Amino acid sequence: MAPVHRIALVQLHPKPLSPAENFDKATSYIKNAAREGCHLVVLPEYHLTSWVPDEPNFRESCAESATYLKRYQELAKELKICIVPGTIIELEGESLHNIAYFISSEGEVLGRYQKKNLWHPERQHLVSSAGQPHTAFDTPLGRVGLLVCWDLAFPEAFRELVSHGAEIICVPSFWSLKDVSDEGYGLNPDGEALFLNSTVISRAFENTCAVVFVNAGGPPEKGEKTSFAGLSQVGMPHIGSLGKMGRSEGMSILDLDMDVLRIAEDNYKVREDMRREGWHYAYTRITDGSKL
C-alpha cells in the first residue's frame, strides 16, 4: 500500500531584514506541525529576509540568514520532521545565491538547489544556477525535486526532475499579485492568482507528480486585503488542489496519498512514454529504471 505523507504548508509573512524574528516565527509553526504528526514542513522563498534588495542592510541581513541552515538541521533532528526551509540567500564573494534545501528528519541535507529561472527584477541582484541540471534525490518521502518561484513557469524544469524520478516537487515562492506591470494588472487584477492556480495543477497533471507550492502570505492583520498572492497548495493529478490557502499568513496541513500518483501514471502513462526508446523529447528521456 502506498504511503500517506502529512505535509504542512507554512505561508509565512516575512518581516524585512529580520532573520532572527522570522526564524523564531518559522520555528513555532514547525513545532506545531510536528505536534500534528507532519512528516514534512515547507516554508516560502525569502522567508528570513523578505525581498528588499535595495535596502542598505540587505546584504548584511543575507549574510546573517545563511547561518540558520544549521539551526534548521538541528530542529529537524530534534522534532524528527523533514524541512524545506524556503530559500536562504547566501553570499559567495560579491554574489548572492538564492538556495533551497531539503533537510531530512535526521537533520541531514539531502538536496540543495540554486534558483535557475530568475524573475527579471532579480537578475541585477542574484546569480542563476544557469546550466546546472535539475536533479531529484531520495528522501524519507520518496524521490523529491526542488524548484523556486518563477521556475513554476517553465515546464522543462519539472520534466527534467521527473526524468530523474521525482514524485514530489517542492516550490517555495515569493509571488505577489502585483508582480506584473500596471498594464498587465489592468487586464485582470486577479491575473497572478489565475496563473498560480492554473499552473500548479497543470504541472501536477502533466508530470503525474505532487507539486508542493508554498508562497509568502500577507500580514495576518490585513487578512485577504493584501498584494501578497499566498494561495499555497499542493497540486495533485485527478484531484486538483489540496490544502489551498488564501492570501494571509497561516499554516495548512494535508495528507498526501502517494497512491494517487500511481493511479495517475496508470492512466496517463507519462513516465512510461518517457522511458521508451526513440522518445521524441530525448532530453527528458528516463534512462535509469531504478528511479521510477
mmCIF file of all heavy atoms in Angstrom, residues 194-225:
data_model
loop_
_atom_site.group_PDB
_atom_site.id
_atom_site.type_symbol
_atom_site.label_atom_id
_atom_site.label_comp_id
_atom_site.label_asym_id
_atom_site.label_seq_id
_atom_site.Cartn_x
_atom_site.Cartn_y
_atom_site.Cartn_z
ATOM 1 N N LEU A 194 -4.800 33.621 -11.030
ATOM 2 C CA LEU A 194 -5.182 32.706 -12.106
ATOM 3 C C LEU A 194 -3.969 31.931 -12.602
ATOM 4 O O LEU A 194 -4.036 30.715 -12.815
ATOM 5 C CB LEU A 194 -5.815 33.508 -13.250
ATOM 6 C CG LEU A 194 -6.229 32.721 -14.493
ATOM 7 C CD1 LEU A 194 -7.298 31.700 -14.153
ATOM 8 C CD2 LEU A 194 -6.738 33.692 -15.578
ATOM 9 N N PHE A 195 -2.852 32.631 -12.772
ATOM 10 C CA PHE A 195 -1.600 31.992 -13.198
ATOM 11 C C PHE A 195 -1.225 30.877 -12.229
ATOM 12 O O PHE A 195 -0.960 29.735 -12.637
ATOM 13 C CB PHE A 195 -0.504 33.057 -13.255
ATOM 14 C CG PHE A 195 0.810 32.601 -13.852
ATOM 15 C CD1 PHE A 195 1.322 33.248 -14.964
ATOM 16 C CD2 PHE A 195 1.539 31.562 -13.297
ATOM 17 C CE1 PHE A 195 2.550 32.850 -15.514
ATOM 18 C CE2 PHE A 195 2.750 31.148 -13.832
ATOM 19 C CZ PHE A 195 3.251 31.797 -14.950
ATOM 20 N N LEU A 196 -1.200 31.200 -10.939
ATOM 21 C CA LEU A 196 -0.743 30.229 -9.939
ATOM 22 C C LEU A 196 -1.683 29.028 -9.856
ATOM 23 O O LEU A 196 -1.243 27.873 -9.900
ATOM 24 C CB LEU A 196 -0.619 30.905 -8.574
ATOM 25 C CG LEU A 196 0.488 31.951 -8.458
ATOM 26 C CD1 LEU A 196 0.422 32.636 -7.093
ATOM 27 C CD2 LEU A 196 1.855 31.334 -8.675
ATOM 28 N N ASN A 197 -2.969 29.293 -9.715
ATOM 29 C CA ASN A 197 -3.916 28.193 -9.558
ATOM 30 C C ASN A 197 -3.921 27.275 -10.780
ATOM 31 O O ASN A 197 -4.025 26.050 -10.651
ATOM 32 C CB ASN A 197 -5.323 28.738 -9.309
ATOM 33 C CG ASN A 197 -5.480 29.327 -7.921
ATOM 34 O OD1 ASN A 197 -4.858 28.872 -6.961
ATOM 35 N ND2 ASN A 197 -6.308 30.357 -7.799
ATOM 36 N N SER A 198 -3.808 27.867 -11.962
ATOM 37 C CA SER A 198 -3.816 27.072 -13.194
ATOM 38 C C SER A 198 -2.531 26.272 -13.348
ATOM 39 O O SER A 198 -2.553 25.078 -13.686
ATOM 40 C CB SER A 198 -3.997 27.987 -14.415
ATOM 41 O OG SER A 198 -5.179 28.733 -14.337
ATOM 42 N N THR A 199 -1.400 26.915 -13.098
ATOM 43 C CA THR A 199 -0.110 26.296 -13.407
ATOM 44 C C THR A 199 0.256 25.209 -12.414
ATOM 45 O O THR A 199 0.796 24.162 -12.804
ATOM 46 C CB THR A 199 0.988 27.376 -13.473
ATOM 47 O OG1 THR A 199 0.564 28.421 -14.342
ATOM 48 C CG2 THR A 199 2.284 26.790 -13.998
ATOM 49 N N VAL A 200 -0.012 25.425 -11.126
ATOM 50 C CA VAL A 200 0.292 24.390 -10.136
ATOM 51 C C VAL A 200 -0.419 23.084 -10.498
ATOM 52 O O VAL A 200 0.175 22.001 -10.474
ATOM 53 C CB VAL A 200 -0.098 24.855 -8.717
ATOM 54 C CG1 VAL A 200 -0.067 23.689 -7.732
ATOM 55 C CG2 VAL A 200 0.842 25.956 -8.242
ATOM 56 N N ILE A 201 -1.693 23.178 -10.857
ATOM 57 C CA ILE A 201 -2.454 21.976 -11.193
ATOM 58 C C ILE A 201 -1.987 21.392 -12.521
ATOM 59 O O ILE A 201 -1.856 20.167 -12.669
ATOM 60 C CB ILE A 201 -3.961 22.279 -11.237
ATOM 61 C CG1 ILE A 201 -4.423 22.867 -9.897
ATOM 62 C CG2 ILE A 201 -4.758 21.035 -11.575
ATOM 63 C CD1 ILE A 201 -4.124 21.991 -8.697
ATOM 64 N N SER A 202 -1.720 22.246 -13.501
ATOM 65 C CA SER A 202 -1.236 21.754 -14.793
ATOM 66 C C SER A 202 0.054 20.966 -14.650
ATOM 67 O O SER A 202 0.209 19.883 -15.230
ATOM 68 C CB SER A 202 -1.023 22.919 -15.763
ATOM 69 O OG SER A 202 -2.230 23.567 -16.059
ATOM 70 N N ARG A 203 1.007 21.503 -13.860
ATOM 71 C CA ARG A 203 2.286 20.808 -13.696
ATOM 72 C C ARG A 203 2.083 19.442 -13.024
ATOM 73 O O ARG A 203 2.777 18.473 -13.333
ATOM 74 C CB ARG A 203 3.245 21.664 -12.864
ATOM 75 C CG ARG A 203 3.619 22.977 -13.508
ATOM 76 C CD ARG A 203 4.512 22.806 -14.739
ATOM 77 N NE ARG A 203 4.720 24.100 -15.369
ATOM 78 C CZ ARG A 203 4.025 24.566 -16.417
ATOM 79 N NH1 ARG A 203 3.091 23.819 -16.972
ATOM 80 N NH2 ARG A 203 4.264 25.764 -16.922
ATOM 81 N N ALA A 204 1.130 19.357 -12.099
ATOM 82 C CA ALA A 204 0.860 18.077 -11.439
ATOM 83 C C ALA A 204 0.298 17.062 -12.430
ATOM 84 O O ALA A 204 0.747 15.910 -12.479
ATOM 85 C CB ALA A 204 -0.112 18.283 -10.278
ATOM 86 N N PHE A 205 -0.665 17.481 -13.235
ATOM 87 C CA PHE A 205 -1.271 16.566 -14.205
ATOM 88 C C PHE A 205 -0.276 16.125 -15.264
ATOM 89 O O PHE A 205 -0.171 14.932 -15.578
ATOM 90 C CB PHE A 205 -2.471 17.245 -14.895
ATOM 91 C CG PHE A 205 -3.781 17.013 -14.217
ATOM 92 C CD1 PHE A 205 -4.296 17.942 -13.318
ATOM 93 C CD2 PHE A 205 -4.528 15.882 -14.495
ATOM 94 C CE1 PHE A 205 -5.519 17.741 -12.699
ATOM 95 C CE2 PHE A 205 -5.754 15.669 -13.878
ATOM 96 C CZ PHE A 205 -6.258 16.592 -12.983
ATOM 97 N N GLU A 206 0.460 17.075 -15.841
ATOM 98 C CA GLU A 206 1.294 16.731 -16.990
ATOM 99 C C GLU A 206 2.543 15.958 -16.594
ATOM 100 O O GLU A 206 3.224 15.401 -17.467
ATOM 101 C CB GLU A 206 1.673 18.009 -17.756
ATOM 102 C CG GLU A 206 2.577 18.968 -17.014
ATOM 103 C CD GLU A 206 2.589 20.369 -17.621
ATOM 104 O OE1 GLU A 206 1.695 20.659 -18.440
ATOM 105 O OE2 GLU A 206 3.471 21.162 -17.260
ATOM 106 N N ASN A 207 2.824 15.869 -15.290
ATOM 107 C CA ASN A 207 4.004 15.129 -14.828
ATOM 108 C C ASN A 207 3.669 13.991 -13.872
ATOM 109 O O ASN A 207 4.574 13.364 -13.332
ATOM 110 C CB ASN A 207 4.978 16.090 -14.144
ATOM 111 C CG ASN A 207 5.578 17.085 -15.111
ATOM 112 O OD1 ASN A 207 6.365 16.732 -15.976
ATOM 113 N ND2 ASN A 207 5.177 18.358 -14.994
ATOM 114 N N THR A 208 2.391 13.725 -13.636
ATOM 115 C CA THR A 208 1.932 12.729 -12.652
ATOM 116 C C THR A 208 2.747 12.823 -11.364
ATOM 117 O O THR A 208 3.298 11.851 -10.866
ATOM 118 C CB THR A 208 1.961 11.298 -13.224
ATOM 119 O OG1 THR A 208 3.282 10.930 -13.640
ATOM 120 C CG2 THR A 208 1.009 11.167 -14.395
ATOM 121 N N CYS A 209 2.811 14.041 -10.836
ATOM 122 C CA CYS A 209 3.570 14.297 -9.611
ATOM 123 C C CYS A 209 2.762 15.181 -8.680
ATOM 124 O O CYS A 209 1.733 15.750 -9.063
ATOM 125 C CB CYS A 209 4.912 14.961 -9.935
ATOM 126 S SG CYS A 209 4.776 16.678 -10.489
ATOM 127 N N ALA A 210 3.233 15.300 -7.430
ATOM 128 C CA ALA A 210 2.660 16.239 -6.477
ATOM 129 C C ALA A 210 3.495 17.518 -6.512
ATOM 130 O O ALA A 210 4.725 17.465 -6.421
ATOM 131 C CB ALA A 210 2.675 15.655 -5.073
ATOM 132 N N VAL A 211 2.834 18.662 -6.657
ATOM 133 C CA VAL A 211 3.515 19.965 -6.663
ATOM 134 C C VAL A 211 3.186 20.674 -5.355
ATOM 135 O O VAL A 211 2.047 21.088 -5.126
ATOM 136 C CB VAL A 211 3.077 20.824 -7.862
ATOM 137 C CG1 VAL A 211 3.782 22.184 -7.821
ATOM 138 C CG2 VAL A 211 3.396 20.109 -9.174
ATOM 139 N N VAL A 212 4.191 20.800 -4.499
ATOM 140 C CA VAL A 212 4.012 21.432 -3.192
ATOM 141 C C VAL A 212 4.441 22.891 -3.326
ATOM 142 O O VAL A 212 5.622 23.228 -3.252
ATOM 143 C CB VAL A 212 4.828 20.713 -2.102
ATOM 144 C CG1 VAL A 212 4.598 21.360 -0.737
ATOM 145 C CG2 VAL A 212 4.468 19.231 -2.061
ATOM 146 N N PHE A 213 3.450 23.748 -3.558
ATOM 147 C CA PHE A 213 3.687 25.172 -3.788
ATOM 148 C C PHE A 213 3.434 25.933 -2.483
ATOM 149 O O PHE A 213 2.320 25.903 -1.948
ATOM 150 C CB PHE A 213 2.758 25.686 -4.893
ATOM 151 C CG PHE A 213 2.789 27.172 -5.092
ATOM 152 C CD1 PHE A 213 3.806 27.769 -5.817
ATOM 153 C CD2 PHE A 213 1.798 27.984 -4.554
ATOM 154 C CE1 PHE A 213 3.845 29.149 -6.000
ATOM 155 C CE2 PHE A 213 1.818 29.359 -4.726
ATOM 156 C CZ PHE A 213 2.850 29.940 -5.453
ATOM 157 N N VAL A 214 4.467 26.599 -1.973
ATOM 158 C CA VAL A 214 4.329 27.343 -0.714
ATOM 159 C C VAL A 214 4.813 28.771 -0.935
ATOM 160 O O VAL A 214 5.998 29.005 -1.188
ATOM 161 C CB VAL A 214 5.103 26.673 0.435
ATOM 162 C CG1 VAL A 214 4.942 27.490 1.717
ATOM 163 C CG2 VAL A 214 4.602 25.252 0.657
ATOM 164 N N ASN A 215 3.880 29.699 -0.829
ATOM 165 C CA ASN A 215 4.144 31.100 -1.122
ATOM 166 C C ASN A 215 4.173 31.914 0.171
ATOM 167 O O ASN A 215 3.641 31.493 1.204
ATOM 168 C CB ASN A 215 3.036 31.627 -2.044
ATOM 169 C CG ASN A 215 3.433 32.890 -2.789
ATOM 170 O OD1 ASN A 215 4.591 33.290 -2.796
ATOM 171 N ND2 ASN A 215 2.463 33.512 -3.430
ATOM 172 N N ALA A 216 4.766 33.099 0.106
ATOM 173 C CA ALA A 216 4.677 34.043 1.219
ATOM 174 C C ALA A 216 3.237 34.552 1.329
ATOM 175 O O ALA A 216 2.532 34.693 0.328
ATOM 176 C CB ALA A 216 5.624 35.212 1.004
ATOM 177 N N GLY A 217 2.804 34.828 2.554
ATOM 178 C CA GLY A 217 1.471 35.375 2.786
ATOM 179 C C GLY A 217 1.545 36.819 3.231
ATOM 180 O O GLY A 217 2.620 37.345 3.552
ATOM 181 N N GLY A 218 0.401 37.463 3.278
ATOM 182 C CA GLY A 218 0.338 38.838 3.740
ATOM 183 C C GLY A 218 0.266 38.922 5.251
ATOM 184 O O GLY A 218 0.098 37.908 5.937
ATOM 185 N N PRO A 219 0.384 40.123 5.819
ATOM 186 C CA PRO A 219 0.303 40.289 7.272
ATOM 187 C C PRO A 219 -1.031 39.763 7.801
ATOM 188 O O PRO A 219 -2.080 40.035 7.213
ATOM 189 C CB PRO A 219 0.406 41.809 7.460
ATOM 190 C CG PRO A 219 0.984 42.327 6.187
ATOM 191 C CD PRO A 219 0.546 41.404 5.110
ATOM 192 N N PRO A 220 -1.006 39.001 8.890
ATOM 193 C CA PRO A 220 -2.261 38.424 9.418
ATOM 194 C C PRO A 220 -3.342 39.459 9.686
ATOM 195 O O PRO A 220 -4.527 39.195 9.469
ATOM 196 C CB PRO A 220 -1.805 37.748 10.717
ATOM 197 C CG PRO A 220 -0.346 37.506 10.551
ATOM 198 C CD PRO A 220 0.166 38.619 9.687
ATOM 199 N N GLU A 221 -2.929 40.657 10.138
ATOM 200 C CA GLU A 221 -3.924 41.674 10.500
ATOM 201 C C GLU A 221 -4.656 42.242 9.286
ATOM 202 O O GLU A 221 -5.736 42.838 9.409
ATOM 203 C CB GLU A 221 -3.266 42.819 11.275
ATOM 204 C CG GLU A 221 -2.230 43.628 10.520
ATOM 205 C CD GLU A 221 -0.827 43.031 10.572
ATOM 206 O OE1 GLU A 221 -0.689 41.870 11.016
ATOM 207 O OE2 GLU A 221 0.119 43.745 10.190
ATOM 208 N N LYS A 222 -4.107 42.038 8.075
ATOM 209 C CA LYS A 222 -4.765 42.555 6.871
ATOM 210 C C LYS A 222 -5.695 41.536 6.224
ATOM 211 O O LYS A 222 -6.430 41.868 5.290
ATOM 212 C CB LYS A 222 -3.713 43.014 5.851
ATOM 213 C CG LYS A 222 -2.997 44.286 6.245
ATOM 214 C CD LYS A 222 -2.182 44.840 5.095
ATOM 215 C CE LYS A 222 -1.556 46.188 5.446
ATOM 216 N NZ LYS A 222 -0.806 46.742 4.304
ATOM 217 N N GLY A 223 -5.640 40.298 6.679
ATOM 218 C CA GLY A 223 -6.490 39.270 6.098
ATOM 219 C C GLY A 223 -6.246 39.115 4.610
ATOM 220 O O GLY A 223 -5.109 39.030 4.158
ATOM 221 N N GLU A 224 -7.337 39.136 3.837
ATOM 222 C CA GLU A 224 -7.219 38.964 2.381
ATOM 223 C C GLU A 224 -6.927 40.280 1.661
ATOM 224 O O GLU A 224 -6.734 40.281 0.444
ATOM 225 C CB GLU A 224 -8.511 38.346 1.841
ATOM 226 C CG GLU A 224 -8.804 36.952 2.376
ATOM 227 C CD GLU A 224 -7.712 35.953 2.041
ATOM 228 O OE1 GLU A 224 -7.582 35.599 0.861
ATOM 229 O OE2 GLU A 224 -6.973 35.553 2.962
ATOM 230 N N LYS A 225 -6.876 41.398 2.400
ATOM 231 C CA LYS A 225 -6.639 42.701 1.785
ATOM 232 C C LYS A 225 -5.133 42.969 1.706
ATOM 233 O O LYS A 225 -4.577 43.774 2.456
ATOM 234 C CB LYS A 225 -7.343 43.795 2.572
ATOM 235 C CG LYS A 225 -8.865 43.649 2.558
ATOM 236 C CD LYS A 225 -9.543 44.745 3.367
ATOM 237 C CE LYS A 225 -11.055 44.593 3.344
ATOM 238 N NZ LYS A 225 -11.739 45.647 4.143
#
